[in-house]
Amino acid sequence: MAADLRPIARALLSVTDKTGLAELAASLARHGVELVSTGGTADVLRKAGFAITDVSALTGFPEIMDGRVKTLHPKIHGGLLSVRDNAAHEQQRLLHAIPLIDLLVVNLYAFEAALARGATPEVIVENIDIGGPAMIRSAAKNHESVAVLTDLADYAGIARELDACSGALSFATRRRLAAKAFACTAAYDSAIATWFADVEFPETLTLAATRVQKLRYGENPHQQAAAYRLNDGRKGLLDAEQVQGKELSYNNLNDADAALEALLEFPRDEAAACVIVKHANPCGVATGATILAAYLKALRCDPVSAFGGVIAFNRGLDGETAAQVSKLFTEVILAPGADTEARSILAAKKNLRLLLLPEMFHGKTPSRTVKSIAGGLLVQSRDATGIDEASLICMTKRQPTEPELRDLGFAWRVAKHVKSNAIVFAKDGATVGIGAGQMSRIDSTRIAARKSLDAAEALGLRTALSQGAVLASDAFFPFADGLEAAAEAGASAIIQPGGAMRDVDVIAAADRLGLAMVFTGQRHFRH
């Protein structure tokens, strides 16, 4: 037997999730491993026909305090922590009749499940596992001699290795399992700490995430990357079903997430909506009577930028819409569902990724966002604010008309998802020009106007799409020049936060130009 192989003679099994337990026990029994177990786990194994040694028989001490104390015993932790090649440890072990434990199989009380189902604080506290994490840490610390299994996904691989190595496990396997074990207890403690803190910004921020997949590369081919799911209960992009297409890349996921976040501004019961994103910025957003109508309106805003982008819909994809979308080179399509005809049409586009997320409007919304900086993290409450017409303050002599008000609300929702400085022209429930990510607001306004003119020329129109449109600005206009550029591009009404030192000059310019302008009192920077 290779020097790094350790035979498994005794295993302690104590699991909350019994999935795959009988199969694992069978593989252990096949190699003559003694099975030691606790409470419900022992009952399940006995009913499956296995000979089981109760933990209380091994320790000589009964389970007490409603099972709170059963494995917290020197004979358990001595059996896990004893260094096999240490003569002093061996002498003490024999003196105190401590049996060795070579394999620990544990998964923990379902604390997060109790949280998710809205259990009472008393029930939640009883779902804080003490003995399990203690044993896991003991076994993982002593991985030179002991193997610890905390992930059901590893059961089959361990069974195969036991068969291949005559009932033994390698050091590489024990070390890999130890790493997973410490990650398991860290994530578990993180969830408990977060619940106890019960504040948005605790003194110590703990985050737990599980790797979903390794990505081909990061933003650029020389960068490595992976995607992780936060263990916060929210349904998100990483829960989507990928029906077809190449493996998702870092940029695919980043753009698809931007599309999803923008799409969530338009609940499916309001109207059909479509969001087209390129490089994490919306380049076309629209609502319509059908998703096909919404798509065609969104596409005409900037058909050049839409090439190679991500398209998201708030309703199920049908064949007619899929036929239109398939005319454009698209990296990713995201929707709650897709009918048979749509899937068949898109199947011809082998590299197109089709993601289905039925629960996109039903998931838990996180209360904060996290961004990495050099040496730390920036954490903030989520920009989840909305507006209603009653909260808007008209600052000009002319009041916006009802159609203008509707478009102002639409443009404001879109501007929230455009990188600052953000300018959005909108008309009839669709963007008609977007300026994003510029260092000055006047430049963003000019770019949005230029985009509007380019789109009109592509459609064979003589006037820019921004003629008669409304405009949303994610922050105040510091000078009147931005407002004047908006009016020159054809804007008839403006929505902006207000609050600039020169608001008086900007309002006077709006009155002089015959614009209606409303203030929201809130800003939507997005960096």
Side-chain angles (χ1 to χ4, degrees):
M1 183 177 291
D4 73 336
L5 288 173
R6 290 282 185 178
I8 306 300
R10 182 179 291 109
L12 194 163
L13 302 91
S14 181
V15 296
T16 299
D17 187 343
K18 311 297 192 294
T19 305
L21 178 64
E23 293 80 1
L24 177 64
S27 71
L28 294 170
R30 189 164 58 248
H31 294 284
V33 177
E34 178 188 351
L35 304 180
V36 180
S37 193
T38 61
T41 306
D43 291 341
V44 169
L45 290 173
R46 283 197 180 97
K47 288 177 182 177
F50 296 100
I52 301 297
T53 301
D54 287 313
V55 162
S56 57
L58 185 144
T59 62
F61 199 91
E63 295 184 13
I64 61 173
M65 299 176 183
D66 300 318
R68 281 190 169 198
V69 179
K70 51 190 173 186
T71 59
L72 296 169
H73 193 281
K75 286 197 174 182
I76 297 297
H77 288 274
L80 292 170
L81 284 166
S82 174
V83 176
R84 304 312 195 250
D85 303 322
N86 184 307
H89 282 205
E90 181 65 7
Q91 182 181 22
Q92 293 169 43
R93 184 184 73 81
L94 294 173
L95 175 66
H96 297 289
I98 297 173
L100 293 174
I101 300 171
D102 307 303
L103 171 66
L104 176 71
V105 183
V106 170
N107 54 63
L108 304 173
Y109 293 170
F111 176 82
E112 288 175 291
L115 285 181
R117 66 174 183 267
T120 64
E122 293 77 15
V123 171
I124 290 172
V125 166
E126 288 307 315
N127 275 278
I128 297 175
D129 203 327
I130 302 300
M135 289 192 294
I136 288 172
R137 292 176 64 82
S138 290
K141 176 175 180 174
N142 199 26
H143 65 277
E144 285 278 355
S145 304
V146 179
V148 53
L149 261 176
T150 57
D151 187 350
L152 278 66
D154 287 319
Y155 286 8
I158 292 302
R160 288 193 296 270
E161 184 168 337
L162 287 170
D163 288 341
C165 299
S166 303
L169 295 175
S170 69
F171 174 77
T173 294
R174 298 194 303 274
R175 184 174 177 83
R176 176 179 64 82
L177 294 176
K180 293 188 75 169
F182 280 120
C184 170
T185 57
Y188 194 74
D189 286 341
S190 173
I192 295 169
T194 299
W195 179 70
F196 269 103
D198 197 27
V199 293
E200 197 164 15
F201 305 107
E203 287 187 32
T204 300
L205 178 65
T206 59
L207 297 172
T210 303
R211 193 182 73 200
V212 176
Q213 65 185 109
K214 289 184 177 180
L215 304 175
R216 287 180 297 157
Y217 52 80
E219 285 184 283
N220 301 291
H222 62 275
Q223 296 172 266
Q224 295 182 325
Y228 288 80
R229 179 186 288 108
L230 282 171
N231 303 329
D232 62 359
R234 185 193 185 199
K235 291 290 184 182
L237 192 62
L238 296 177
D239 297 291
E241 174 194 2
Q242 183 172 350
V243 174
Q244 66 168 68
K246 293 191 298 185
E247 185 179 331
L248 288 161
S249 71
Y250 180 101
N251 291 331
N252 292 153
L253 287 166
N254 193 47
D255 285 354
D257 185 64
L260 175 60
E261 292 287 354
L263 193 68
L264 293 178
E265 298 286 341
F266 304 98
R268 61 195 305 175
D269 56 355
E270 284 187 10
C274 174
V275 175
I276 306 175
V277 163
K278 187 70 170 291
H279 295 306
N281 267 307
C283 60
V285 182
T287 58
T290 65
I291 60 168
L292 176 58
Y295 167 69
L296 294 175
K297 289 167 67 177
L299 180 63
R300 77 172 191 162
C301 176
D302 191 351
V304 174
S305 296
F307 182 86
V310 170
I311 304 175
F313 298 97
N314 70 344
R315 294 183 182 176
L317 191 63
D318 56 63
E320 189 178 12
T321 307
Q324 286 294 326
V325 173
S326 67
K327 296 177 181 179
L328 178 74
F329 169 59
T330 304
E331 292 279 1
V332 179
I333 295 176
L334 174 67
D339 65 23
T340 303
E341 184 182 4
R343 294 188 188 208
S344 176
I345 291 169
L346 296 178
K349 299 282 187 176
K350 300 298 183 184
N351 293 330
L352 169 67
R353 294 93 165 170
L354 175 58
L355 303 182
L356 303 184
L357 183 58
E359 295 183 308
M360 65 168 58
F361 287 98
H362 304 293
K364 174 185 174 184
T365 301
S367 62
R368 66 191 180 194
T369 63
V370 180
K371 180 179 181 179
S372 63
I373 58 172
L377 300 172
L378 292 176
V379 183
Q380 65 174 345
S381 58
R382 191 174 187 78
D383 184 5
T385 57
I387 60 165
D388 56 58
E389 292 182 14
S391 68
L392 300 177
I393 303 172
C394 185
M395 306 302 295
T396 51
K397 295 175 182 177
R398 185 170 84 77
Q399 298 279 331
T401 65
E402 282 300 318
E404 285 175 334
L405 267 177
R406 287 194 296 272
D407 281 336
L408 287 169
F410 170 85
W412 186 246
R413 283 195 269 182
V414 175
K416 179 177 169 182
H417 297 274
V418 176
K419 299 294 174 65
S420 190
N421 287 312
I423 294 291
V424 176
F425 284 98
K427 187 176 182 180
D428 299 329
T431 56
V432 293
I434 298 174
Q438 297 305 302
M439 287 68 75
S440 72
R441 195 154 301 278
I442 182 68
D443 284 345
S444 287
T445 306
R446 288 168 176 160
I447 288 171
R450 179 72 241 183
K451 291 280 189 182
S452 176
L453 183 59
D454 290 344
E457 290 176 351
L459 293 168
L461 302 176
R462 294 184 178 181
T463 58
L465 298 183
S466 56
Q467 285 294 325
V470 305
L471 179 145
S473 174
D474 65 341
F476 59 65
F477 284 101
F479 305 99
D481 57 356
L483 196 83
E484 290 164 347
E488 184 180 348
S492 65
I494 309 289
I495 185 169
Q496 60 137 316
M501 291 179 62
R502 295 179 176 82
D503 270 348
V504 172
D505 296 340
V506 174
I507 294 167
D511 283 333
R512 173 170 50 83
L513 295 165
L515 303 177
M517 184 165 65
V518 297
F519 281 7
T520 65
Q522 61 182 229
R523 189 180 72 186
H524 280 314
F525 273 170
R526 191 177 189 88
H527 294 103

